[in-house]
Amino acid sequence: MTQVTRTQVSSAVMTHPVRLVQAQDLASRLGLNGLALDPDPQGPPSALRTALVAWSAVAPGTSHHLVVQDDVEGPAELLEIVGEAASRFPDEALVFYTNWHARNGGAARLAAIAGASWVRAVPDEFTPSLAVCLPASTAAAFRTFAEGSTERHDDELLSVFFRERGRMGLLAVPNIVEHIGTSSINGHAAQGIRRAACPTSAADAGPLLAHGRVLEEPGWIPYMRYGEGYIRLPGQERDADGGRGHHRWREALPATGLTEEGIHAVRKAHLHEDLAAQVAGTFGRSFAEELWTHCLLLGRQAARAARTVGPAPGDVPDAAVSRMRRSAIATAGPAGLPPERRPEAGPEEVRAMAALAQSAVRAGRTLLQGET
């Protein structure tokens, strides 16, 4: 029997015949081991069907296995960065992409602003499965768990699997993998442009992921989707609907200890009217104010989380942490737009939204005044 003596990562690209050339190019560029083809391409759409093939492709003697979907971009250093992360967290499920308007995307954005490089995924949402690395034993356990399931979404079943094991995956806050295109074999095209919450260069992500801080419990998490702000509350997974419902920020505010009066007072004192007008000129005043309030709450929670995370260790460059923060803030506006309006966010619109978001994040720190 082959003994695993060090971290070794095998890999596979999930794909469908309609994207075969794209998948072959991706595997070649990134040095990935091979392709996992949909075994029933004429059947009803099922990402899980192909994922089971991919998770069965663990090479003998390897300690970990990376599964990447075919509609992504990644750096040439992907396998090196994943391998270092697996060496650091040998027993963890590691997730290298988070969707910018999901709850996990909100958790990653909050962690980035707080200066953390990893954050624990929430248990009441799908596990983003565009690039996931599992220990080989965990990959085998997931295959056994998933065999015969009627679920067609691998990302949903991964979360069920992790919940039942009592430990969600670790999300890489600096995203080194980016989603490309808007088509979806599995039925997600209506979500429009879907991007990473915190796109980061390999040069920055390397030290951040190898040495950066871990945020295990971010508390309540602001996130924005389809033009409206929400809050994911701690323990929400225990709700009757499994926590899948969305709580508008006004509805959830009493559970946070904040008040609408306090929010309005900070808005009156700190809202930068010129920046709000720039965003409102394209997307409307209500969106500009919703984005500002969302980022105000995000800034408050990030400032709170930063107290527990502490400063980055010495082998993580301060400049890399700063760029990670800016990247996460810059995606808040485009992610918060309704899908049909995201194509309107050109460079100027993105810059305006980023400036408004940054001003709100800074103002959010004032909501911590007087708290211990």
Side-chain angles (χ1 to χ4, degrees):
M1 179 178 178
T2 303
Q3 295 294 317
V4 176
T5 57
R6 59 188 177 89
T7 302
Q8 293 179 300
V9 182
S10 60
S11 55
V13 180
M14 288 174 53
T15 193
H16 186 279
V18 299
R19 290 182 179 165
L20 182 59
V21 173
Q22 180 175 308
Q24 289 172 329
D25 178 64
L26 178 68
S28 176
R29 283 188 290 109
L30 302 187
L32 305 177
N33 292 137
L35 306 183
L37 282 163
D38 185 339
D40 184 16
Q42 303 304 316
S46 173
L48 180 62
R49 186 171 60 225
T50 309
L52 287 175
V53 177
W55 289 116
S56 298
V58 180
T62 56
S63 60
H64 292 76
H65 190 60
L66 171 69
V67 170
V68 176
Q69 295 188 11
D70 57 15
D71 54 348
V72 305
E73 291 179 345
E77 302 90 342
L78 177 66
L79 283 175
E80 177 185 351
I81 292 172
V82 169
E84 289 182 358
S87 294
R88 181 181 179 187
F89 304 108
D91 300 321
E92 296 278 8
L94 303 176
V95 180
F96 292 91
Y97 169 90
T98 50
N99 189 313
W100 64 1
H101 71 280
R103 296 174 214 195
N104 279 319
R109 189 174 287 114
L110 189 161
I113 299 169
S117 297
W118 296 90
V119 64
R120 186 68 60 184
V122 303
D124 43 278
E125 186 179 70
F126 64 92
T127 296
S129 57
L130 269 65
V132 177
C133 181
L134 298 181
S137 59
T138 305
F142 176 67
R143 293 198 311 271
T144 300
F145 177 83
E147 287 288 351
S149 172
T150 58
E151 174 62 67
R152 66 187 183 94
H153 299 286
D154 63 321
D155 51 6
E156 295 285 0
L157 200 60
L158 278 168
S159 281
V160 175
F161 173 69
F162 295 142
R163 281 197 301 271
E164 292 198 3
R165 290 166 70 96
R167 192 173 184 82
M168 302 306 292
L170 273 181
L171 306 176
V173 174
N175 292 159
I176 53 171
V177 167
E178 181 62 281
H179 182 256
I180 58 175
T182 58
S183 65
S184 174
I185 292 172
N186 213 37
H188 298 308
Q191 296 180 21
I193 299 169
R194 307 179 297 285
R195 296 287 185 266
C198 186
T200 307
S201 70
D204 282 349
L208 285 165
L209 295 177
H211 307 290
R213 304 293 189 190
V214 179
L215 178 59
E216 283 285 354
E217 179 46 67
W220 50 268
I221 301 169
Y223 63 104
M224 195 172 178
R225 61 198 304 273
Y226 307 128
E228 298 181 332
Y230 297 86
I231 291 177
R232 189 264 171 190
L233 296 171
Q236 187 171 318
E237 70 276 10
R238 295 190 290 273
D239 290 354
D241 62 355
R244 300 309 295 265
H246 299 284
H247 302 305
R248 292 294 308 279
W249 68 266
R250 287 182 178 86
E251 301 165 358
L253 209 56
T256 70
L258 302 176
T259 65
E260 278 198 65
E261 292 76 11
I263 298 293
H264 291 317
V266 175
R267 177 188 295 174
K268 183 177 180 180
H270 295 279
L271 176 61
H272 195 300
E273 286 294 344
D274 289 345
L275 294 177
Q278 289 179 42
V279 175
T282 303
F283 301 111
R285 180 71 185 190
S286 62
F287 174 79
E289 291 188 356
E290 194 78 349
L291 175 62
W292 195 88
T293 302
H294 162 66
C295 290
L296 178 79
L297 297 171
L298 191 62
R300 188 270 187 191
Q301 278 302 82
R304 179 180 177 273
R307 294 177 175 180
T308 61
V309 169
D315 36 15
V316 177
D318 290 341
V321 177
S322 295
R323 284 190 289 267
M324 177 178 67
R325 287 192 178 105
R326 289 197 298 271
S327 176
I329 293 171
T331 66
L337 287 167
E340 67 274 10
R341 302 213 63 183
R342 289 179 197 149
E344 299 174 48
E348 290 300 320
E349 288 77 15
V350 170
R351 277 193 287 271
M353 288 188 286
L356 181 64
Q358 179 65 67
S359 71
V361 167
R362 286 195 299 266
R365 300 167 191 159
T366 67
L367 293 174
L368 271 184
Q369 290 177 357
E371 292 190 22
T372 57

